[in-house]
Structure formats: structure tokens, C-alpha cells
Amino acid sequence: MKSPPYPVTDDHIHIDPRNGRGLEAAKDFFRAGGTHLFLVSKPSWSLDVYPSSAEDYAQVFDETLRVAEHVRSIGLVVFPVLGVHPAEISRLAERMPLAQAAELMKAGLGCAAGYVREGKAVALKSGRPHYEVSPELLAASNGVLMHALVLAAECSCALQIHAESGPCMDVVEMAGTARIPVERVVKHYATPDTPLHPSLIARHEALPRLIREHRRFTMESDFMDENSRPGAVIGPRSVPRFTNQLVASGQMTADDCFFVHADTVAKVYGVTVQLG
Ligand SMILES: [Zn+2]
């Protein structure tokens, strides 16, 4: 098969053979021109895992790595991202005291960091609830996020964060305390006003402007791969589809594609993005 003229990287996608289309969704991405993807672990509950120890999170991570291996077999380059979904705190706190819930999430992140050290994953994922929560729950979540920043700094890897919409200005100071460069803290579902590294949804209206300004950003589908929520997000083809549209309309050159989908990805995550 002829290699595509430029790389196309999805910075945040889930592939879930249990609850969604699985490999068929990955093939859609591939056929639309996708070349590389950051495969993010799903929340534990979506795999029917209800953690009470760090080892329980290993089941979720091992599943992500199994899926990654299958997706590689169709010719895609897969970079696994492992972590604990910030909304887990609400679910765990129903079963245990809040402090214990936060400790368990930190332990889960510690387990994920082990996979990064072994070279099985390239980055961690954490954050804080994107919905309204009590001050106690927010404080506990910030503690978990701080722990994730420290772990990412120790592993010299990037951290994807899922948080409230908006810039997340306070995370800059947290990153400084943890000694991780803000360029390696990736705001998932970002708005362009964030001082963190923005991973923008593929259809974001600001893309043509950011490309003209030569700003660093990455593109994501945030495809959930859940048959029960088909309309919840845009599909697995969205990053290649919107990239190809921008190229066709003259708003993105092949050089811009290499800048966004290879150079920036390499700079943020410390991975190599090559074609063919
Ligand atoms: Zn996600």
C-alpha cells in the first residue's frame, strides 16, 4: 500500500472491542488517512473493573495494551496512554472514604507509571472532574492531579489531563512545583487559550488561525467507541477527515501537517513519528 503524503496523528482516541466497534473503528481511521494514534485507557467501570487496589488498574492497562497490539496489526502506529479517569473519584467515593479513594487513584497512577518506565506506554493520563463537585472532592482531585504531574516528571513523560473547560491556569503553577515543562502537560479537549499544550478536537473552528500563526497544537477525535453512546462524540475518522479538508481548501500545507502531526507530537511526547 502506498504511504500517505503526510502523517495524521489522533492525540486522544479510545478503541473498545467490548463496548464498541473495536478494530473496525481503527480501520476507519486508517482508511481515511490516519497513521498514528494515542490510544487512551478507558475508565475502569467500562471494563467492569471496580478497583480496590492498584493491581486492579493493571487489568485495565493490560486490556489497553492488548487492544494496542491488535490495532498495530492493521498498520497503524499506536502510542498507549495509561491513567486513571478523573471521574473515578466520584464513583470510588460512593464505596469508600474520599481520602481512600484519592489514595487508590494515586496508586493506580503509580501502576501506570510502571508501564511507562517499562516502555509499554508513552504517557500518563489524569485530571480533575469537568463537572461541578464539592470543594472537598475538588481538593482531593487536585491532590491526585499533583501526584500525576510528579510521576510524569519522574518518568520524563507527558501527561494528558481531562479537566473543566477553559485554560486551567492554576495547573501551570502545579506543573512548576512538580518540575514538568508545561509543554508536556496536554490539555485534552482544549480551548486555544490554555497555557498548557492544547489537544484540540479535530473540528475546532480555531484550527485555520492557529495554523497561520504557527502555534503548536495537536488534534484529537476523543472517539469513545461505545455503541451505547453513538452520537456522544465525533467519529474515528475525524482527525484525518478534517486534516484532509484543511489541506484541500488550502488552509494547511503538507509542511503544516508534518509540523502538527509529527514535529509537535515528537516534541510533546518524546516519540518518533515517521511515515511508512
Ligand atoms: Zn477520552
Side-chain angles (χ1 to χ4, degrees):
M1 190 172 173
K2 184 166 142 287
S3 64
Y6 42 77
V8 173
T9 306
D10 191 326
D11 197 6
H12 187 111
I13 186 169
H14 306 276
I15 299 291
D16 183 349
R18 284 187 202 221
N19 305 297
R21 296 177 55 226
L23 266 200
E24 288 310 309
K27 285 179 187 167
D28 276 358
F29 173 74
F30 182 67
R31 284 192 289 252
T35 59
H36 297 68
L37 55 91
F38 285 82
L39 185 71
V40 183
S41 59
K42 297 219 30 173
S44 57
W45 65 78
S46 64
L47 303 172
D48 289 320
V49 173
Y50 299 93
S52 54
S53 70
E55 291 71 49
D56 294 331
Y57 281 104
Q59 285 184 54
V60 180
F61 304 151
D62 288 337
E63 170 78 7
T64 308
L65 297 181
R66 263 195 302 277
V67 173
E69 221 31 71
H70 287 292
V71 173
R72 284 183 187 117
S73 72
I74 61 177
L76 287 161
V77 178
V78 185
F79 303 118
V81 177
L82 304 178
V84 178
H85 195 284
E88 298 218 8
I89 199 155
S90 302
R91 301 213 177 200
L92 291 173
E94 289 171 7
R95 293 196 278 125
M96 60 186 76
L98 182 56
Q100 198 184 332
E103 284 313 307
L104 181 52
M105 290 172 75
K106 289 180 189 174
L109 285 161
C111 176
Y115 286 79
V116 173
R117 288 195 191 96
E118 289 173 35
K120 293 176 177 168
V122 304
L124 296 174
K125 149 155 192 188
S126 179
R128 59 189 176 201
H130 57 279
Y131 46 90
E132 197 80 36
V133 294
S134 68
E136 295 75 29
L137 211 136
L138 183 59
S141 295
N142 275 324
V144 174
L145 173 54
M146 189 65 211
H147 188 71
L149 288 161
V150 169
L151 285 172
E154 284 172 4
C155 298
S156 302
C157 73
L159 174 72
Q160 285 199 5
I161 70 164
H162 185 169
E164 76 280 4
S165 73
C168 289
M169 292 303 296
D170 63 315
V171 177
V172 174
E173 201 183 317
M174 293 170 78
T177 307
R179 297 179 176 279
I180 177 172
V182 280
E183 296 80 19
R184 305 202 80 185
V185 181
V186 179
K187 177 83 195 293
H188 155 58
Y189 212 92
T191 45
D193 58 356
T194 185
L196 309 173
H197 171 79
S199 178
L200 297 164
I201 203 83
R203 60 163 184 269
H204 201 289
E205 60 183 13
L207 292 189
R209 175 174 63 82
L210 299 176
I211 293 164
R212 280 197 306 276
E213 294 171 356
H214 212 58
R215 278 266 308 274
R216 284 203 187 269
F217 65 88
T218 42
M219 288 168 72
E220 63 175 53
S221 61
D222 195 24
F223 177 62
M224 293 285 295
D225 203 11
E226 274 177 28
N227 291 334
S228 60
R229 300 174 63 202
V233 280
I234 52 178
R237 290 175 299 144
S238 59
V239 174
R241 211 151 49 92
F242 282 93
T243 298
N244 294 339
Q245 275 178 21
L246 287 164
V247 170
S249 63
Q251 299 180 91
M252 194 172 190
T253 64
D255 279 352
D256 294 328
C257 292
F258 276 91
F259 181 70
V260 172
H261 293 296
D263 190 71
T264 297
V265 170
K267 210 173 158 61
V268 172
Y269 291 97
V271 298
T272 310
V273 177
Q274 280 173 332
L275 282 181

